[in-house]
């Protein structure tokens, strides 16, 4: 607003508001929500492996729920689902991506909101599948393969699959176009170019980039902002 004008501020309102995700959520809320998600994830994964014939018992007496399975050779194996494994961090990261994807889509508002609403249970379901796979690997191949191999890569695979699925859902179900490529040339660009226009009014293509001049007022504004930031830093 200081450097440019109110119209520029309106155009940059979303990117500026998007910076709120740089602030970590309150720890109390994070741990409370993470603990709830840990129990739900573990109960869902336990139900899935029980259907597959793998017996399990869940202990939720302590802060982090623990599931105990018995391997075919009779060896007991315990897994604890803490805050990091609850899916809360994946939800936050994926929510950022879903909101950004909804913003760049040029479509109706309800489709943007639907994309965000679909994305949250999607990534959480994938986290339940990840925990289930870890339990299955631990049951058949032991703790080493489950925790040291798949557990380290499972989070990255989770985000990658969630991203791909969200883009597919966006294009196939909601019929939105995120990446649009067109080989058609605008026939009006040449006429606007001869008029020395900056951009074409038909296709909005930039014909002649505007030259930005740095004047004394701009320097004064920049110095004022720098001094204000230094003052706020000293106060803090």
């Amino acid at each position: 607003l200081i450097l440019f004008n109110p119209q520029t501020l309106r155009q940059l309102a979303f990117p500026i508001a998007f910076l709120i995700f740089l602030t970590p959520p309150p720890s109390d809320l994070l741990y409370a929500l993470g603990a709830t998600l840990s129990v739900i994830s573990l109960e869902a994964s336990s139900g899935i492996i029980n259907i597959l014939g793998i017996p399990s018992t869940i202990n939720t007496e302590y802060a982090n729920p623990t599931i105990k399975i018995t391997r075919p050779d009779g060896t007991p194996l315990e897994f604890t689902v803490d805050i990091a494994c609850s899916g809360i961090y994946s939800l936050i990261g994926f929510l950022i991506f879903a909101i950004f994807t909804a913003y760049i889509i040029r479509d109706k508002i309800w489709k943007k909101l639907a994309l965000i609403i679909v994305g949250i249970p999607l990534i959480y379901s994938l986290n339940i599948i990840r925990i289930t796979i870890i339990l299955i690997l631990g049951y058949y191949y032991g703790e080493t393969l489950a925790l040291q191999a798949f557990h380290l890569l499972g989070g990255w695979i989770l985000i990658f699959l969630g991203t791909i699925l969200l883009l597919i859902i966006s294009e196939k179900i909601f019929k939105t176009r995120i990446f649009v490529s067109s080989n058609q040339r605008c026939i009006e660009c040449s006429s606007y170019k001869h008029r020395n226009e900056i951009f074409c009014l038909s296709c909005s293509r930039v014909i002649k980039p505007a030259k930005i001049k740095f004047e004394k007022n701009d320097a004064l504004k920049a110095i004022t902002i720098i001094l204000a930031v230094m003052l706020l830093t000293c106060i803090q």
Side-chain angles (χ1 to χ4, degrees), residues 38 42 63-67 78-83 85 135 147 151:
S38 298
L42 198 57
N64 297 323
T66 302
I67 184 170
E78 291 187 355
F79 292 94
T80 299
V81 179
D82 56 8
I83 302 298
C85 296
L135 296 176
L147 295 181
H151 184 267

Side-chain angles (χ1 to χ4, degrees), residues 147-193:
L147 295 181
Q148 296 184 2
F150 184 79
H151 184 267
L152 296 177
L153 300 177
W156 295 98
I157 297 173
L158 173 72
I159 296 296
F160 177 75
L161 291 178
T163 301
I164 297 299
L165 287 176
L166 185 65
L167 294 177
I168 292 175
I169 292 173
S170 174
E171 290 203 353
K172 300 299 182 181
I173 297 180
F174 295 109
K175 305 299 181 181
T176 58
R177 302 291 295 175
I178 300 178
F179 306 105
V180 180
S181 60
S182 177
N183 296 323
Q184 297 180 356
R185 298 180 62 88
C186 177
I187 60 177
E188 300 291 336
C189 285
S190 58
S191 61
Y192 286 104
K193 185 176 182 180

Side-chain angles (χ1 to χ4, degrees), residues 9-231:
L9 179 61
R10 287 196 297 268
Q11 295 296 330
L12 294 177
F14 178 82
I16 293 174
F18 201 70
L19 295 176
I20 194 174
F21 288 108
L22 290 175
T23 305
S27 57
D28 295 339
L29 176 63
L30 188 67
Y31 280 97
L33 183 59
T36 303
L37 294 178
S38 298
V39 175
I40 297 175
S41 300
L42 198 57
E43 290 179 349
S45 299
S46 176
I48 294 174
I49 63 174
N50 288 338
I51 295 176
L52 298 177
I54 302 177
S56 64
T57 57
I58 300 177
N59 184 6
T60 58
E61 294 180 359
Y62 302 100
N64 297 323
T66 302
I67 184 170
K68 181 178 180 181
I69 60 177
T70 303
R71 300 189 60 199
D73 58 0
T75 305
L77 194 60
E78 291 187 355
F79 292 94
T80 299
V81 179
D82 56 8
I83 302 298
C85 296
S86 64
I88 182 64
Y89 298 125
S90 300
L91 280 175
I92 294 175
F94 194 75
L95 180 63
I96 296 173
F97 173 76
I99 292 177
F100 174 75
T101 304
Y103 172 71
I104 64 176
I105 289 176
R106 295 295 177 258
D107 215 316
K108 298 178 180 179
I109 298 296
W110 72 266
K111 290 186 178 182
K112 296 173 179 285
L113 296 176
L115 192 64
I116 299 175
I117 295 174
V118 169
I120 295 176
L122 173 65
I123 196 66
Y124 188 66
S125 300
L126 290 175
N127 186 67
I128 294 176
I129 295 175
R130 181 178 71 94
I131 297 176
T132 304
I133 294 176
I134 292 176
L135 296 176
I136 294 175
L137 290 176
Y139 178 76
Y140 287 105
Y141 302 103
E143 181 180 358
T144 302
L145 179 62
L147 295 181
Q148 296 184 2
F150 184 79
H151 184 267
L152 296 177
L153 300 177
W156 295 98
I157 297 173
L158 173 72
I159 296 296
F160 177 75
L161 291 178
T163 301
I164 297 299
L165 287 176
L166 185 65
L167 294 177
I168 292 175
I169 292 173
S170 174
E171 290 203 353
K172 300 299 182 181
I173 297 180
F174 295 109
K175 305 299 181 181
T176 58
R177 302 291 295 175
I178 300 178
F179 306 105
V180 180
S181 60
S182 177
N183 296 323
Q184 297 180 356
R185 298 180 62 88
C186 177
I187 60 177
E188 300 291 336
C189 285
S190 58
S191 61
Y192 286 104
K193 185 176 182 180
H194 291 305
R195 302 177 196 171
N196 292 325
E197 296 288 346
I198 297 177
F199 62 93
C200 176
L201 295 178
S202 298
C203 66
S204 301
R205 182 176 300 170
V206 177
I207 300 175
K208 183 180 178 182
K211 294 182 180 180
I212 301 176
K213 296 181 179 179
F214 191 78
E215 299 179 354
K216 294 182 179 180
N217 290 335
D218 299 325
L220 182 60
K221 293 177 181 180
I223 293 174
T224 303
I225 292 177
I226 293 174
L227 293 177
V229 171
M230 293 175 61
L231 179 61

